[in-house]
Amino acid sequence: MNALAALGEILVFIGTFFYFLSALGLIRMPDVYNRMQTSTKSATLGSLGVMIGVGIWALGEDFGSVAWLTKTIVISVFLLLTNPISAHTLIRAAYKSGIPLWEGSVMDKYREHIEAKAKEAETVGAPESETPEEGGEE
Amino acid sequence: MLKRSLAIITILIIGYWLAQSLAGVPFGEDKMLVGQYYLDHVKDQTGAVNAVTAIVVNYRGFDTLGEVTVLFIASTGVGALLWRKRKKRTAKTEGSVVLTTGSELLFPFVVLFGSYIFIHGHLTPGGGFPGGATIATAFLLLYMAFVSYEIPHKAFEKTEGLAGMGYVLVGLTGLAIGGYFLFDWIWQTWQWGTGNIGRLFSGGFIPIIYTLIGIKVGTELSGIIDNMLKEEVRE
């Protein structure tokens, strides 16, 4: 075992620790939004740690080669780009389908924004492209 | 309640029965008969390093042709079941900017990775079906992210048919050269790529067939997605 392998092992350990924190956050947090916050963030970081760690770990072993590190870097870049997008989409969908915030939350600027927009559309009146609906013709 | 408990009891009995029959099967012992032959001869007979794809495409290519046919029938069936004169996407809400930009950026990478999977079918795990499914996933991503995305139908359907025909044509060429359907003529007759087993240009006709299958499966699944996402519009 050499320095590279040791560094990889430490990174993997840190990664698994963050995985654990992410799972703990899923249990401990009060509502969907907080749960998503804790789980996605630490799971992304944990995965990065584990994958880069495995790549570096393999560099230090006899059987290892650079191929491992290349692959893990590609995978982690992919994960780093996609995970936040999926978290964003999930949270947005949760909000749009009306899942309430935690009762302890103080502010909901997004709700205010949506309501202000709706009001604006009402006062302007006659929303654009209001084609008369043709229904009940069966 | 009675129904559920009856179902549970029946399933438990079936499970016990299956477990009884499996109890006599020895696991972890060397019981390979045909498998050993495959493992011993896969390199010099097919040129592929990946034994699974060699078996699936080369030794038992007929099964793969059947699977491709099943997928084709599934796609045609979905098309026939959901056939209507006027169909439109009926997505209600616009995706957020993060989602649309993200999927736009990711789309080429997903397609690239799918192509990588099916081109390297004879070297790495995967092959035509996972690669094609990955490509279809890329199109699904666009379908999900944009309100009014549609695949180019004409080109897609033609490509699908041509890829399927290409598979059969490769098989028929084998029939003409070697004497039986799906004979690996590139490897057995031309000896092309014998010098570099384990590199990209080897593996007989496996990469060619897997490219065709990947294109076919990708376009097919995208077509199924397209059919299922669209709804009838009234005039």
Side-chain angles (χ1 to χ4, degrees), chain A residues 71 78 81-82 84-85 88-89 92 96 134 136-138, chain B residues 93-96 98-99 102-103 106 109-110 234-235:
Chain A
K71 273 179 201 165
F78 198 74
L81 289 176
T82 48
I85 299 176
H88 161 86
T89 321
R92 204 175 127 95
K96 294 243 167 183
E134 292 175 20
E137 270 185 36
E138 282 183 275
Chain B
T93 44
E94 196 94 26
S96 67
V98 179
L99 177 63
S103 3
L106 277 175
F109 291 104
V110 178
R234 243 175 239 127
E235 305 285 316

mmCIF file with all atom_site columns, all heavy atoms in Angstrom, chain A residues 71 78 81-82 84-85 88-89 92 96 134 136-138, chain B residues 93-96 98-99 102-103 106 109-110 234-235:
data_model
loop_
_atom_site.group_PDB
_atom_site.id
_atom_site.type_symbol
_atom_site.label_atom_id
_atom_site.label_alt_id
_atom_site.label_comp_id
_atom_site.label_asym_id
_atom_site.label_entity_id
_atom_site.label_seq_id
_atom_site.pdbx_PDB_ins_code
_atom_site.Cartn_x
_atom_site.Cartn_y
_atom_site.Cartn_z
_atom_site.occupancy
_atom_site.B_iso_or_equiv
_atom_site.pdbx_formal_charge
_atom_site.auth_seq_id
_atom_site.auth_comp_id
_atom_site.auth_asym_id
_atom_site.auth_atom_id
_atom_site.pdbx_PDB_model_num
ATOM 1   N N   . LYS A 1 71  ? -12.169 6.782  -16.162 1.00 0.00 ? 71  LYS A N   1
ATOM 2   C CA  . LYS A 1 71  ? -13.585 6.419  -16.151 1.00 0.00 ? 71  LYS A CA  1
ATOM 3   C C   . LYS A 1 71  ? -14.306 7.065  -14.983 1.00 0.00 ? 71  LYS A C   1
ATOM 4   O O   . LYS A 1 71  ? -15.395 7.636  -15.148 1.00 0.00 ? 71  LYS A O   1
ATOM 5   C CB  . LYS A 1 71  ? -13.726 4.902  -16.061 1.00 0.00 ? 71  LYS A CB  1
ATOM 6   C CG  . LYS A 1 71  ? -13.695 4.243  -17.415 1.00 0.00 ? 71  LYS A CG  1
ATOM 7   C CD  . LYS A 1 71  ? -13.826 2.753  -17.258 1.00 0.00 ? 71  LYS A CD  1
ATOM 8   C CE  . LYS A 1 71  ? -13.292 2.067  -18.487 1.00 0.00 ? 71  LYS A CE  1
ATOM 9   N NZ  . LYS A 1 71  ? -13.068 0.658  -18.284 1.00 0.00 ? 71  LYS A NZ  1
ATOM 10  N N   . PHE A 1 78  ? -20.309 13.572 -15.057 1.00 0.00 ? 78  PHE A N   1
ATOM 11  C CA  . PHE A 1 78  ? -21.685 13.355 -15.490 1.00 0.00 ? 78  PHE A CA  1
ATOM 12  C C   . PHE A 1 78  ? -22.649 13.485 -14.312 1.00 0.00 ? 78  PHE A C   1
ATOM 13  O O   . PHE A 1 78  ? -23.670 14.176 -14.388 1.00 0.00 ? 78  PHE A O   1
ATOM 14  C CB  . PHE A 1 78  ? -21.792 11.966 -16.100 1.00 0.00 ? 78  PHE A CB  1
ATOM 15  C CG  . PHE A 1 78  ? -23.003 11.775 -16.943 1.00 0.00 ? 78  PHE A CG  1
ATOM 16  C CD1 . PHE A 1 78  ? -23.077 12.361 -18.186 1.00 0.00 ? 78  PHE A CD1 1
ATOM 17  C CD2 . PHE A 1 78  ? -24.057 11.018 -16.482 1.00 0.00 ? 78  PHE A CD2 1
ATOM 18  C CE1 . PHE A 1 78  ? -24.202 12.191 -18.962 1.00 0.00 ? 78  PHE A CE1 1
ATOM 19  C CE2 . PHE A 1 78  ? -25.175 10.849 -17.255 1.00 0.00 ? 78  PHE A CE2 1
ATOM 20  C CZ  . PHE A 1 78  ? -25.244 11.437 -18.502 1.00 0.00 ? 78  PHE A CZ  1
ATOM 21  N N   . LEU A 1 81  ? -23.102 17.006 -13.067 1.00 0.00 ? 81  LEU A N   1
ATOM 22  C CA  . LEU A 1 81  ? -23.965 17.840 -13.899 1.00 0.00 ? 81  LEU A CA  1
ATOM 23  C C   . LEU A 1 81  ? -25.426 17.451 -13.781 1.00 0.00 ? 81  LEU A C   1
ATOM 24  O O   . LEU A 1 81  ? -26.314 18.302 -13.842 1.00 0.00 ? 81  LEU A O   1
ATOM 25  C CB  . LEU A 1 81  ? -23.537 17.737 -15.361 1.00 0.00 ? 81  LEU A CB  1
ATOM 26  C CG  . LEU A 1 81  ? -22.224 18.407 -15.714 1.00 0.00 ? 81  LEU A CG  1
ATOM 27  C CD1 . LEU A 1 81  ? -21.895 18.135 -17.165 1.00 0.00 ? 81  LEU A CD1 1
ATOM 28  C CD2 . LEU A 1 81  ? -22.316 19.888 -15.483 1.00 0.00 ? 81  LEU A CD2 1
ATOM 29  N N   . THR A 1 82  ? -25.699 16.136 -13.649 1.00 0.00 ? 82  THR A N   1
ATOM 30  C CA  . THR A 1 82  ? -27.087 15.705 -13.731 1.00 0.00 ? 82  THR A CA  1
ATOM 31  C C   . THR A 1 82  ? -27.812 15.729 -12.386 1.00 0.00 ? 82  THR A C   1
ATOM 32  O O   . THR A 1 82  ? -28.999 16.000 -12.349 1.00 0.00 ? 82  THR A O   1
ATOM 33  C CB  . THR A 1 82  ? -27.170 14.277 -14.292 1.00 0.00 ? 82  THR A CB  1
ATOM 34  O OG1 . THR A 1 82  ? -26.237 13.474 -13.593 1.00 0.00 ? 82  THR A OG1 1
ATOM 35  C CG2 . THR A 1 82  ? -26.849 14.279 -15.749 1.00 0.00 ? 82  THR A CG2 1
ATOM 36  N N   . PRO A 1 84  ? -27.833 17.793 -9.703  1.00 0.00 ? 84  PRO A N   1
ATOM 37  C CA  . PRO A 1 84  ? -28.548 19.004 -9.317  1.00 0.00 ? 84  PRO A CA  1
ATOM 38  C C   . PRO A 1 84  ? -29.763 19.283 -10.191 1.00 0.00 ? 84  PRO A C   1
ATOM 39  O O   . PRO A 1 84  ? -30.789 19.738 -9.685  1.00 0.00 ? 84  PRO A O   1
ATOM 40  C CB  . PRO A 1 84  ? -27.496 20.105 -9.511  1.00 0.00 ? 84  PRO A CB  1
ATOM 41  C CG  . PRO A 1 84  ? -26.210 19.427 -9.502  1.00 0.00 ? 84  PRO A CG  1
ATOM 42  C CD  . PRO A 1 84  ? -26.450 18.083 -10.060 1.00 0.00 ? 84  PRO A CD  1
ATOM 43  N N   . ILE A 1 85  ? -29.648 18.944 -11.492 1.00 0.00 ? 85  ILE A N   1
ATOM 44  C CA  . ILE A 1 85  ? -30.797 19.186 -12.370 1.00 0.00 ? 85  ILE A CA  1
ATOM 45  C C   . ILE A 1 85  ? -31.976 18.323 -11.943 1.00 0.00 ? 85  ILE A C   1
ATOM 46  O O   . ILE A 1 85  ? -33.114 18.781 -11.855 1.00 0.00 ? 85  ILE A O   1
ATOM 47  C CB  . ILE A 1 85  ? -30.430 18.900 -13.834 1.00 0.00 ? 85  ILE A CB  1
ATOM 48  C CG1 . ILE A 1 85  ? -29.313 19.826 -14.282 1.00 0.00 ? 85  ILE A CG1 1
ATOM 49  C CG2 . ILE A 1 85  ? -31.628 19.075 -14.738 1.00 0.00 ? 85  ILE A CG2 1
ATOM 50  C CD1 . ILE A 1 85  ? -28.829 19.544 -15.673 1.00 0.00 ? 85  ILE A CD1 1
ATOM 51  N N   . HIS A 1 88  ? -33.451 19.661 -8.773  1.00 0.00 ? 88  HIS A N   1
ATOM 52  C CA  . HIS A 1 88  ? -34.226 20.864 -9.070  1.00 0.00 ? 88  HIS A CA  1
ATOM 53  C C   . HIS A 1 88  ? -35.588 20.494 -9.643  1.00 0.00 ? 88  HIS A C   1
ATOM 54  O O   . HIS A 1 88  ? -36.624 21.004 -9.222  1.00 0.00 ? 88  HIS A O   1
ATOM 55  C CB  . HIS A 1 88  ? -33.446 21.717 -10.070 1.00 0.00 ? 88  HIS A CB  1
ATOM 56  C CG  . HIS A 1 88  ? -34.276 22.722 -10.786 1.00 0.00 ? 88  HIS A CG  1
ATOM 57  N ND1 . HIS A 1 88  ? -34.532 23.968 -10.271 1.00 0.00 ? 88  HIS A ND1 1
ATOM 58  C CD2 . HIS A 1 88  ? -34.939 22.658 -11.966 1.00 0.00 ? 88  HIS A CD2 1
ATOM 59  C CE1 . HIS A 1 88  ? -35.302 24.625 -11.109 1.00 0.00 ? 88  HIS A CE1 1
ATOM 60  N NE2 . HIS A 1 88  ? -35.564 23.854 -12.143 1.00 0.00 ? 88  HIS A NE2 1
ATOM 61  N N   . THR A 1 89  ? -35.584 19.570 -10.610 1.00 0.00 ? 89  THR A N   1
ATOM 62  C CA  . THR A 1 89  ? -36.833 19.187 -11.254 1.00 0.00 ? 89  THR A CA  1
ATOM 63  C C   . THR A 1 89  ? -37.781 18.523 -10.266 1.00 0.00 ? 89  THR A C   1
ATOM 64  O O   . THR A 1 89  ? -38.990 18.811 -10.269 1.00 0.00 ? 89  THR A O   1
ATOM 65  C CB  . THR A 1 89  ? -36.533 18.232 -12.412 1.00 0.00 ? 89  THR A CB  1
ATOM 66  O OG1 . THR A 1 89  ? -35.366 18.674 -13.069 1.00 0.00 ? 89  THR A OG1 1
ATOM 67  C CG2 . THR A 1 89  ? -37.665 18.194 -13.385 1.00 0.00 ? 89  THR A CG2 1
ATOM 68  N N   . ARG A 1 92  ? -39.214 21.156 -7.915  1.00 0.00 ? 92  ARG A N   1
ATOM 69  C CA  . ARG A 1 92  ? -40.167 22.003 -8.610  1.00 0.00 ? 92  ARG A CA  1
ATOM 70  C C   . ARG A 1 92  ? -41.487 21.264 -8.811  1.00 0.00 ? 92  ARG A C   1
ATOM 71  O O   . ARG A 1 92  ? -42.576 21.808 -8.595  1.00 0.00 ? 92  ARG A O   1
ATOM 72  C CB  . ARG A 1 92  ? -39.585 22.406 -9.957  1.00 0.00 ? 92  ARG A CB  1
ATOM 73  C CG  . ARG A 1 92  ? -40.149 23.659 -10.527 1.00 0.00 ? 92  ARG A CG  1
ATOM 74  C CD  . ARG A 1 92  ? -39.400 23.987 -11.797 1.00 0.00 ? 92  ARG A CD  1
ATOM 75  N NE  . ARG A 1 92  ? -40.315 24.190 -12.888 1.00 0.00 ? 92  ARG A NE  1
ATOM 76  C CZ  . ARG A 1 92  ? -40.753 25.393 -13.243 1.00 0.00 ? 92  ARG A CZ  1
ATOM 77  N NH1 . ARG A 1 92  ? -40.341 26.457 -12.601 1.00 0.00 ? 92  ARG A NH1 1
ATOM 78  N NH2 . ARG A 1 92  ? -41.588 25.523 -14.241 1.00 0.00 ? 92  ARG A NH2 1
ATOM 79  N N   . LYS A 1 96  ? -45.097 22.285 -7.437  1.00 0.00 ? 96  LYS A N   1
ATOM 80  C CA  . LYS A 1 96  ? -46.222 22.507 -8.351  1.00 0.00 ? 96  LYS A CA  1
ATOM 81  C C   . LYS A 1 96  ? -47.389 21.600 -8.022  1.00 0.00 ? 96  LYS A C   1
ATOM 82  O O   . LYS A 1 96  ? -48.542 21.952 -8.256  1.00 0.00 ? 96  LYS A O   1
ATOM 83  C CB  . LYS A 1 96  ? -45.777 22.252 -9.790  1.00 0.00 ? 96  LYS A CB  1
ATOM 84  C CG  . LYS A 1 96  ? -44.761 23.234 -10.251 1.00 0.00 ? 96  LYS A CG  1
ATOM 85  C CD  . LYS A 1 96  ? -45.279 24.055 -11.391 1.00 0.00 ? 96  LYS A CD  1
ATOM 86  C CE  . LYS A 1 96  ? -44.347 25.228 -11.578 1.00 0.00 ? 96  LYS A CE  1
ATOM 87  N NZ  . LYS A 1 96  ? -44.753 26.138 -12.599 1.00 0.00 ? 96  LYS A NZ  1
ATOM 88  N N   . GLU A 1 134 ? -63.983 24.702 -27.511 1.00 0.00 ? 134 GLU A N   1
ATOM 89  C CA  . GLU A 1 134 ? -65.054 23.936 -28.135 1.00 0.00 ? 134 GLU A CA  1
ATOM 90  C C   . GLU A 1 134 ? -65.140 22.597 -27.432 1.00 0.00 ? 134 GLU A C   1
ATOM 91  O O   . GLU A 1 134 ? -64.289 21.736 -27.595 1.00 0.00 ? 134 GLU A O   1
ATOM 92  C CB  . GLU A 1 134 ? -64.753 23.727 -29.613 1.00 0.00 ? 134 GLU A CB  1
ATOM 93  C CG  . GLU A 1 134 ? -64.814 25.004 -30.402 1.00 0.00 ? 134 GLU A CG  1
ATOM 94  C CD  . GLU A 1 134 ? -64.394 24.769 -31.849 1.00 0.00 ? 134 GLU A CD  1
ATOM 95  O OE1 . GLU A 1 134 ? -64.432 23.609 -32.281 1.00 0.00 ? 134 GLU A OE1 1
ATOM 96  O OE2 . GLU A 1 134 ? -64.052 25.745 -32.506 1.00 0.00 ? 134 GLU A OE2 1
ATOM 97  N N   . GLY A 1 136 ? -67.931 19.492 -25.553 1.00 0.00 ? 136 GLY A N   1
ATOM 98  C CA  . GLY A 1 136 ? -69.275 18.945 -25.487 1.00 0.00 ? 136 GLY A CA  1
ATOM 99  C C   . GLY A 1 136 ? -69.944 18.812 -26.837 1.00 0.00 ? 136 GLY A C   1
ATOM 100 O O   . GLY A 1 136 ? -71.127 19.101 -26.987 1.00 0.00 ? 136 GLY A O   1
ATOM 101 N N   . GLU A 1 137 ? -69.206 18.426 -27.816 1.00 0.00 ? 137 GLU A N   1
ATOM 102 C CA  . GLU A 1 137 ? -69.810 18.268 -29.130 1.00 0.00 ? 137 GLU A CA  1
ATOM 103 C C   . GLU A 1 137 ? -69.921 16.809 -29.517 1.00 0.00 ? 137 GLU A C   1
ATOM 104 O O   . GLU A 1 137 ? -69.759 16.445 -30.663 1.00 0.00 ? 137 GLU A O   1
ATOM 105 C CB  . GLU A 1 137 ? -68.970 19.014 -30.169 1.00 0.00 ? 137 GLU A CB  1
ATOM 106 C CG  . GLU A 1 137 ? -69.408 20.451 -30.363 1.00 0.00 ? 137 GLU A CG  1
ATOM 107 C CD  . GLU A 1 137 ? -68.633 21.110 -31.475 1.00 0.00 ? 137 GLU A CD  1
ATOM 108 O OE1 . GLU A 1 137 ? -68.335 20.420 -32.462 1.00 0.00 ? 137 GLU A OE1 1
ATOM 109 O OE2 . GLU A 1 137 ? -68.328 22.294 -31.338 1.00 0.00 ? 137 GLU A OE2 1
ATOM 110 N N   . GLU A 1 138 ? -70.155 15.999 -28.544 1.00 0.00 ? 138 GLU A N   1
ATOM 111 C CA  . GLU A 1 138 ? -70.187 14.580 -28.883 1.00 0.00 ? 138 GLU A CA  1
ATOM 112 C C   . GLU A 1 138 ? -71.594 14.027 -28.882 1.00 0.00 ? 138 GLU A C   1
ATOM 113 O O   . GLU A 1 138 ? -72.443 14.460 -28.159 1.00 0.00 ? 138 GLU A O   1
ATOM 114 C CB  . GLU A 1 138 ? -69.333 13.801 -27.885 1.00 0.00 ? 138 GLU A CB  1
ATOM 115 C CG  . GLU A 1 138 ? -67.862 13.941 -28.215 1.00 0.00 ? 138 GLU A CG  1
ATOM 116 C CD  . GLU A 1 138 ? -67.003 13.110 -27.289 1.00 0.00 ? 138 GLU A CD  1
ATOM 117 O OE1 . GLU A 1 138 ? -66.690 13.617 -26.215 1.00 0.00 ? 138 GLU A OE1 1
ATOM 118 O OE2 . GLU A 1 138 ? -66.651 11.978 -27.661 1.00 0.00 ? 138 GLU A OE2 1
ATOM 119 N N   . THR B 2 93  ? -47.420 22.094 -18.743 1.00 0.00 ? 93  THR B N   1
ATOM 120 C CA  . THR B 2 93  ? -46.572 23.173 -18.236 1.00 0.00 ? 93  THR B CA  1
ATOM 121 C C   . THR B 2 93  ? -45.199 23.124 -18.882 1.00 0.00 ? 93  THR B C   1
ATOM 122 O O   . THR B 2 93  ? -44.676 22.071 -19.205 1.00 0.00 ? 93  THR B O   1
ATOM 123 C CB  . THR B 2 93  ? -46.390 23.044 -16.718 1.00 0.00 ? 93  THR B CB  1
ATOM 124 O OG1 . THR B 2 93  ? -46.143 21.674 -16.428 1.00 0.00 ? 93  THR B OG1 1
ATOM 125 C CG2 . THR B 2 93  ? -47.582 23.535 -15.976 1.00 0.00 ? 93  THR B CG2 1
ATOM 126 N N   . GLU B 2 94  ? -44.682 24.298 -19.034 1.00 0.00 ? 94  GLU B N   1
ATOM 127 C CA  . GLU B 2 94  ? -43.323 24.443 -19.536 1.00 0.00 ? 94  GLU B CA  1
ATOM 128 C C   . GLU B 2 94  ? -42.341 23.928 -18.484 1.00 0.00 ? 94  GLU B C   1
ATOM 129 O O   . GLU B 2 94  ? -42.545 24.134 -17.289 1.00 0.00 ? 94  GLU B O   1
ATOM 130 C CB  . GLU B 2 94  ? -43.084 25.926 -19.783 1.00 0.00 ? 94  GLU B CB  1
ATOM 131 C CG  . GLU B 2 94  ? -41.905 26.244 -20.640 1.00 0.00 ? 94  GLU B CG  1
ATOM 132 C CD  . GLU B 2 94  ? -42.305 26.385 -22.095 1.00 0.00 ? 94  GLU B CD  1
ATOM 133 O OE1 . GLU B 2 94  ? -43.471 26.720 -22.366 1.00 0.00 ? 94  GLU B OE1 1
ATOM 134 O OE2 . GLU B 2 94  ? -41.453 26.144 -22.937 1.00 0.00 ? 94  GLU B OE2 1
ATOM 135 N N   . GLY B 2 95  ? -41.290 23.252 -18.937 1.00 0.00 ? 95  GLY B N   1
ATOM 136 C CA  . GLY B 2 95  ? -40.251 22.869 -17.990 1.00 0.00 ? 95  GLY B CA  1
ATOM 137 C C   . GLY B 2 95  ? -39.469 24.109 -17.576 1.00 0.00 ? 95  GLY B C   1
ATOM 138 O O   . GLY B 2 95  ? -39.498 25.136 -18.246 1.00 0.00 ? 95  GLY B O   1
ATOM 139 N N   . SER B 2 96  ? -38.770 23.996 -16.468 1.00 0.00 ? 96  SER B N   1
ATOM 140 C CA  . SER B 2 96  ? -38.010 25.162 -16.021 1.00 0.00 ? 96  SER B CA  1
ATOM 141 C C   . SER B 2 96  ? -36.772 25.337 -16.897 1.00 0.00 ? 96  SER B C   1
ATOM 142 O O   . SER B 2 96  ? -36.384 24.449 -17.644 1.00 0.00 ? 96  SER B O   1
ATOM 143 C CB  . SER B 2 96  ? -37.593 24.986 -14.577 1.00 0.00 ? 96  SER B CB  1
ATOM 144 O OG  . SER B 2 96  ? -36.668 23.947 -14.487 1.00 0.00 ? 96  SER B OG  1
ATOM 145 N N   . VAL B 2 98  ? -33.719 25.546 -16.077 1.00 0.00 ? 98  VAL B N   1
ATOM 146 C CA  . VAL B 2 98  ? -32.635 24.633 -15.697 1.00 0.00 ? 98  VAL B CA  1
ATOM 147 C C   . VAL B 2 98  ? -32.808 23.286 -16.396 1.00 0.00 ? 98  VAL B C   1
ATOM 148 O O   . VAL B 2 98  ? -31.856 22.717 -16.946 1.00 0.00 ? 98  VAL B O   1
ATOM 149 C CB  . VAL B 2 98  ? -32.634 24.442 -14.173 1.00 0.00 ? 98  VAL B CB  1
ATOM 150 C CG1 . VAL B 2 98  ? -31.544 23.492 -13.771 1.00 0.00 ? 98  VAL B CG1 1
ATOM 151 C CG2 . VAL B 2 98  ? -32.480 25.760 -13.474 1.00 0.00 ? 98  VAL B CG2 1
ATOM 152 N N   . LEU B 2 99  ? -34.045 22.828 -16.405 1.00 0.00 ? 99  LEU B N   1
ATOM 153 C CA  . LEU B 2 99  ? -34.309 21.512 -16.999 1.00 0.00 ? 99  LEU B CA  1
ATOM 154 C C   . LEU B 2 99  ? -34.075 21.531 -18.496 1.00 0.00 ? 99  LEU B C   1
ATOM 155 O O   . LEU B 2 99  ? -33.386 20.653 -19.041 1.00 0.00 ? 99  LEU B O   1
ATOM 156 C CB  . LEU B 2 99  ? -35.751 21.114 -16.694 1.00 0.00 ? 99  LEU B CB  1
ATOM 157 C CG  . LEU B 2 99  ? -36.209 19.800 -17.313 1.00 0.00 ? 99  LEU B CG  1
ATOM 158 C CD1 . LEU B 2 99  ? -35.413 18.657 -16.767 1.00 0.00 ? 99  LEU B CD1 1
ATOM 159 C CD2 . LEU B 2 99  ? -37.675 19.582 -17.067 1.00 0.00 ? 99  LEU B CD2 1
ATOM 160 N N   . GLY B 2 102 ? -30.415 22.022 -19.283 1.00 0.00 ? 102 GLY B N   1
ATOM 161 C CA  . GLY B 2 102 ? -29.675 20.830 -18.897 1.00 0.00 ? 102 GLY B CA  1
ATOM 162 C C   . GLY B 2 102 ? -29.886 19.702 -19.878 1.00 0.00 ? 102 GLY B C   1
ATOM 163 O O   . GLY B 2 102 ? -28.926 19.047 -20.304 1.00 0.00 ? 102 GLY B O   1
ATOM 164 N N   . SER B 2 103 ? -31.132 19.462 -20.290 1.00 0.00 ? 103 SER B N   1
ATOM 165 C CA  . SER B 2 103 ? -31.343 18.335 -21.201 1.00 0.00 ? 103 SER B CA  1
ATOM 166 C C   . SER B 2 103 ? -30.780 18.638 -22.575 1.00 0.00 ? 103 SER B C   1
ATOM 167 O O   . SER B 2 103 ? -30.303 17.726 -23.252 1.00 0.00 ? 103 SER B O   1
ATOM 168 C CB  . SER B 2 103 ? -32.821 17.965 -21.320 1.00 0.00 ? 103 SER B CB  1
ATOM 169 O OG  . SER B 2 103 ? -33.614 18.801 -20.602 1.00 0.00 ? 103 SER B OG  1
ATOM 170 N N   . LEU B 2 106 ? -27.180 17.894 -22.233 1.00 0.00 ? 106 LEU B N   1
ATOM 171 C CA  . LEU B 2 106 ? -26.863 16.490 -21.976 1.00 0.00 ? 106 LEU B CA  1
ATOM 172 C C   . LEU B 2 106 ? -27.167 15.594 -23.156 1.00 0.00 ? 106 LEU B C   1
ATOM 173 O O   . LEU B 2 106 ? -26.555 14.541 -23.305 1.00 0.00 ? 106 LEU B O   1
ATOM 174 C CB  . LEU B 2 106 ? -27.656 15.996 -20.768 1.00 0.00 ? 106 LEU B CB  1
ATOM 175 C CG  . LEU B 2 106 ? -27.066 16.316 -19.426 1.00 0.00 ? 106 LEU B CG  1
ATOM 176 C CD1 . LEU B 2 106 ? -28.007 15.875 -18.343 1.00 0.00 ? 106 LEU B CD1 1
ATOM 177 C CD2 . LEU B 2 106 ? -25.739 15.609 -19.268 1.00 0.00 ? 106 LEU B CD2 1
ATOM 178 N N   . PHE B 2 109 ? -24.380 14.132 -25.237 1.00 0.00 ? 109 PHE B N   1
ATOM 179 C CA  . PHE B 2 109 ? -23.521 13.234 -24.470 1.00 0.00 ? 109 PHE B CA  1
ATOM 180 C C   . PHE B 2 109 ? -24.197 11.889 -24.252 1.00 0.00 ? 109 PHE B C   1
ATOM 181 O O   . PHE B 2 109 ? -23.541 10.846 -24.304 1.00 0.00 ? 109 PHE B O   1
ATOM 182 C CB  . PHE B 2 109 ? -23.140 13.871 -23.145 1.00 0.00 ? 109 PHE B CB  1
ATOM 183 C CG  . PHE B 2 109 ? -22.216 15.029 -23.306 1.00 0.00 ? 109 PHE B CG  1
ATOM 184 C CD1 . PHE B 2 109 ? -22.675 16.318 -23.172 1.00 0.00 ? 109 PHE B CD1 1
ATOM 185 C CD2 . PHE B 2 109 ? -20.898 14.826 -23.634 1.00 0.00 ? 109 PHE B CD2 1
ATOM 186 C CE1 . PHE B 2 109 ? -21.836 17.390 -23.354 1.00 0.00 ? 109 PHE B CE1 1
ATOM 187 C CE2 . PHE B 2 109 ? -20.050 15.886 -23.815 1.00 0.00 ? 109 PHE B CE2 1
ATOM 188 C CZ  . PHE B 2 109 ? -20.519 17.178 -23.675 1.00 0.00 ? 109 PHE B CZ  1
ATOM 189 N N   . VAL B 2 110 ? -25.495 11.918 -24.019 1.00 0.00 ? 110 VAL B N   1
ATOM 190 C CA  . VAL B 2 110 ? -26.208 10.657 -23.824 1.00 0.00 ? 110 VAL B CA  1
ATOM 191 C C   . VAL B 2 110 ? -26.206 9.855  -25.114 1.00 0.00 ? 110 VAL B C   1
ATOM 192 O O   . VAL B 2 110 ? -25.973 8.634  -25.108 1.00 0.00 ? 110 VAL B O   1
ATOM 193 C CB  . VAL B 2 110 ? -27.644 10.931 -23.333 1.00 0.00 ? 110 VAL B CB  1
ATOM 194 C CG1 . VAL B 2 110 ? -28.393 9.632  -23.170 1.00 0.00 ? 110 VAL B CG1 1
ATOM 195 C CG2 . VAL B 2 110 ? -27.630 11.679 -22.032 1.00 0.00 ? 110 VAL B CG2 1
ATOM 196 N N   . ARG B 2 234 ? -59.125 17.180 -30.672 1.00 0.00 ? 234 ARG B N   1
ATOM 197 C CA  . ARG B 2 234 ? -60.393 17.335 -31.380 1.00 0.00 ? 234 ARG B CA  1
ATOM 198 C C   . ARG B 2 234 ? -60.309 18.548 -32.286 1.00 0.00 ? 234 ARG B C   1
ATOM 199 O O   . ARG B 2 234 ? -59.672 19.542 -31.951 1.00 0.00 ? 234 ARG B O   1
ATOM 200 C CB  . ARG B 2 234 ? -61.521 17.493 -30.374 1.00 0.00 ? 234 ARG B CB  1
ATOM 201 C CG  . ARG B 2 234 ? -62.486 16.345 -30.504 1.00 0.00 ? 234 ARG B CG  1
ATOM 202 C CD  . ARG B 2 234 ? -63.531 16.427 -29.447 1.00 0.00 ? 234 ARG B CD  1
ATOM 203 N NE  . ARG B 2 234 ? -63.497 15.210 -28.641 1.00 0.00 ? 234 ARG B NE  1
ATOM 204 C CZ  . ARG B 2 234 ? -63.399 15.202 -27.327 1.00 0.00 ? 234 ARG B CZ  1
ATOM 205 N NH1 . ARG B 2 234 ? -63.332 16.329 -26.654 1.00 0.00 ? 234 ARG B NH1 1
ATOM 206 N NH2 . ARG B 2 234 ? -63.381 14.079 -26.679 1.00 0.00 ? 234 ARG B NH2 1
ATOM 207 N N   . GLU B 2 235 ? -60.934 18.437 -33.375 1.00 0.00 ? 235 GLU B N   1
ATOM 208 C CA  . GLU B 2 235 ? -60.927 19.572 -34.315 1.00 0.00 ? 235 GLU B CA  1
ATOM 209 C C   . GLU B 2 235 ? -61.686 20.739 -33.714 1.00 0.00 ? 235 GLU B C   1
ATOM 210 O O   . GLU B 2 235 ? -62.703 20.590 -33.137 1.00 0.00 ? 235 GLU B O   1
ATOM 211 C CB  . GLU B 2 235 ? -61.598 19.156 -35.626 1.00 0.00 ? 235 GLU B CB  1
ATOM 212 C CG  . GLU B 2 235 ? -60.993 17.911 -36.255 1.00 0.00 ? 235 GLU B CG  1
ATOM 213 C CD  . GLU B 2 235 ? -59.659 18.213 -36.911 1.00 0.00 ? 235 GLU B CD  1
ATOM 214 O OE1 . GLU B 2 235 ? -59.579 19.246 -37.598 1.00 0.00 ? 235 GLU B OE1 1
ATOM 215 O OE2 . GLU B 2 235 ? -58.718 17.459 -36.699 1.00 0.00 ? 235 GLU B OE2 1
#
